[in-house]
Amino acid sequence: MGEATRHPGDPLAGAGALWEALRALLPDTKEDLKLDLGEKVERSVVTLLQQATALFYEGRRDECLQSSEAILDYSWEKLNTGPWQDVDKDWRRVYAFGCLLKALCLCQVPGDAAAVAAALRVCDMGLLMGAAILGDVLLKVAAILQTHRPGKRPARSATREQPSTKKAKDDHGSIPDLQLERAVPRLHCPSLEHFQKHFLAPQRPVILEGVADHWPCMKKWSLEYIQEVAGCRTVPVEVGSRYTDEEWSQTLMTVSEFISKYIVSKPRDIGYLAQHQLFDQVMGRKYIRLYSPQESEALYPHDTHLLHNTSQVDVENPDLEKFPKFAEAPFQSCVLSPGEILFIPVKYWHYVRALDLSFSVSFWWS
């Protein structure tokens, strides 16, 4: 890898601390900054990548920026033609490489706050839509950009802050009477062997208590903290009450934009995943219902392939004339509080409704 200090004649030298930190991530020569691409990527695109790389190393910023835009435009079309699973990984790598060059070019002018913010958005797009290249270099570039972004405030103390309610709406609804429902069992810090034998192997839901108490997020996370450390990052967002609704959509926006526009708790559809899940509650509470895979018929899944793992039933306000079997389907329920982890076995139907402004983290595995 290259060193931060360059020879005086280097056209890329002398652009400030941010540029030096970014430049240190890259090889010394253009010959070492390349992608080995398969035959599905046209030769003309490979040539354009080589030309853009040469322009970058020659310090011809504006021309490199134009070339990177052309690379992004062409590869974007490839990423959005046909189903995502059919997109060749090499085209995702081409897109990521275009994002890398564009982000670097944007940062060659020192002291440009807007350019740094734009470069970080470009990196995030490469991380979301592209594939890992050059030792996950986009992750490293994004980390440096976030550290150097103008106006960045110093980290606050680990004292847990109360979440802002400025945009949160009071529509969470009441908590169901859990005494009338079958509760999910609870365990306090079980051994891995006990959890595997009695819950993972037989695929039985359970709430794990005390397991996440030492996690830093349990002390740090709040609405303000999330906005401070990640507000400038671009993320995919699902917009709408339920993804079976016609107005439901997906979009990309910054975390700050999401918080300012969409911090509101809504019921979720009931559906299942093809993997085991650990659902970790970090802030606020959620009401959760679980239905065994054996009750799938009574959950009335959608007929379409896309929504075959999603129920048609409005869980807490069911139409029993249309879905009569649902009334007799047994289920387990709980209110998951901060620090508690719910194990949801594979193909268990689960319904989630936030009772407070809340954050959760999910881990999936097969």
Side-chain angles (χ1 to χ4, degrees), residues 166-238:
K166 180 180 178 182
K167 290 288 182 178
K169 301 204 172 122
D170 187 18
D171 61 355
H172 312 307
S174 61
I175 304 175
D177 187 352
L178 298 186
Q179 292 183 348
L180 302 178
E181 302 179 356
R182 181 184 168 203
V184 178
R186 294 172 173 268
L187 284 177
H188 184 80
C189 294
S191 67
L192 181 59
E193 293 79 7
H194 182 85
F195 168 72
Q196 186 171 15
K197 178 180 179 180
H198 296 283
F199 296 95
L200 179 59
Q203 299 188 16
R204 296 173 53 214
V206 66
I207 295 172
L208 305 176
E209 301 175 336
V211 175
D213 290 348
H214 65 288
W215 291 6
C217 63
M218 299 309 304
K219 294 185 174 68
K220 289 185 176 182
W221 279 21
S222 68
L223 199 62
E224 291 82 359
Y225 177 78
I226 295 296
Q227 189 160 9
E228 182 173 322
V229 301
C232 59
R233 303 303 298 270
T234 300
V235 295
V237 173
E238 298 178 353

Side-chain angles (χ1 to χ4, degrees), residues 70-289:
I71 292 168
L72 291 174
D73 288 344
Y74 194 83
S75 56
W76 182 258
E77 292 297 324
K78 294 292 185 179
L79 298 186
N80 289 277
T81 301
W84 177 252
Q85 62 265 25
D86 295 338
V87 175
D88 190 271
K89 189 175 182 180
D90 277 342
W91 279 113
R92 295 178 59 199
R93 296 172 69 212
V94 170
Y95 183 80
F97 196 82
C99 288
L100 172 65
L101 291 177
K102 181 177 179 178
L104 292 173
C105 288
L106 288 171
C107 294
Q108 285 188 23
V109 179
D112 190 337
V116 173
L120 188 53
R121 287 195 295 271
V122 170
C123 279
D124 283 335
M125 288 300 298
L127 291 168
L128 290 167
M129 302 295 293
I133 58 169
L134 306 173
D136 282 327
V137 68
L138 281 177
L139 279 174
K140 300 170 186 176
V141 171
I144 290 174
L145 291 175
Q146 192 162 1
T147 301
H148 285 78
R149 70 187 190 275
K152 179 180 181 296
R153 292 177 290 177
R156 298 182 182 179
S157 66
T159 303
R160 190 179 186 91
E161 305 168 37
Q162 293 299 315
S164 169
T165 57
K166 180 180 178 182
K167 290 288 182 178
K169 301 204 172 122
D170 187 18
D171 61 355
H172 312 307
S174 61
I175 304 175
D177 187 352
L178 298 186
Q179 292 183 348
L180 302 178
E181 302 179 356
R182 181 184 168 203
V184 178
R186 294 172 173 268
L187 284 177
H188 184 80
C189 294
S191 67
L192 181 59
E193 293 79 7
H194 182 85
F195 168 72
Q196 186 171 15
K197 178 180 179 180
H198 296 283
F199 296 95
L200 179 59
Q203 299 188 16
R204 296 173 53 214
V206 66
I207 295 172
L208 305 176
E209 301 175 336
V211 175
D213 290 348
H214 65 288
W215 291 6
C217 63
M218 299 309 304
K219 294 185 174 68
K220 289 185 176 182
W221 279 21
S222 68
L223 199 62
E224 291 82 359
Y225 177 78
I226 295 296
Q227 189 160 9
E228 182 173 322
V229 301
C232 59
R233 303 303 298 270
T234 300
V235 295
V237 173
E238 298 178 353
V239 180
S241 300
R242 297 178 173 87
Y243 59 84
T244 52
D245 292 345
E246 289 186 4
E247 69 270 17
W248 183 90
S249 64
Q250 291 177 303
T251 188
L252 296 172
M253 65 179 67
T254 65
V255 172
S256 289
E257 290 171 336
F258 169 72
I259 289 174
S260 66
K261 293 180 180 179
Y262 297 112
I263 286 297
V264 53
S265 298
K266 293 283 189 180
R268 290 177 51 180
D269 294 282
I270 181 168
Y272 71 83
L273 298 171
Q275 294 175 305
H276 296 303
Q277 180 180 5
L278 288 175
F279 189 90
D280 312 332
Q281 192 62 22
V282 177
M283 192 181 88
R285 300 166 302 157
K286 285 187 169 72
Y287 169 68
I288 301 176
R289 277 199 200 182

